[in-house]
């Protein structure tokens, strides 16, 4: 695997993320969590399986 090192500071990353549109920032943060958290990915897999198996309730069923 090719490794590319780019000299960038944490502050530069934070500033770049702050400049993103809200939707893009949310997607970026979700992707970052997914890439760094096997538990998060597993929870998504479990949730999708529960949904597919019909083990979920709609917003309307819960809140009326």
């Amino acid at each position: 695997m090719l490794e590319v090192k780019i000299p960038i500071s944490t502050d530069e990353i934070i500033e770049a993320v702050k400049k993103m549109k809200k939707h893009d920032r949310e997607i970026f943060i979700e992707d970052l969590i997914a890439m760094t958290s096997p538990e998060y990915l597993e929870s998504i897999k479990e949730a999708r399986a529960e949904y597919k198996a019909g083990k979920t309730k709609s917003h309307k069923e819960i809140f009326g």
Side-chain angles (χ1 to χ4, degrees):
M1 180 191 248
L2 175 65
E3 185 175 318
V4 178
K5 294 192 179 209
I6 300 171
I8 186 167
S9 71
T10 304
D11 290 338
E12 289 172 311
I13 294 170
I14 291 169
E15 284 305 311
V17 172
K18 284 181 179 179
K19 290 177 182 177
M20 291 178 173
K21 292 179 182 176
K22 183 180 178 187
H23 178 74
D24 294 337
R25 186 172 51 244
E26 289 171 353
I27 291 171
F28 172 78
I29 297 297
E30 186 173 285
D31 287 348
L32 184 61
I33 293 168
M35 288 186 287
T36 59
S37 174
E39 296 86 8
Y40 179 72
L41 290 177
E42 185 60 33
S43 73
I44 292 172
K45 189 185 295 183
E46 289 173 11
R48 288 178 178 162
E50 289 175 1
Y51 178 79
K52 193 173 186 178
K55 296 180 180 178
T56 61
K57 295 186 182 223
S58 70
H59 185 275
K60 188 173 184 177
E61 288 174 302
I62 295 172
F63 298 105

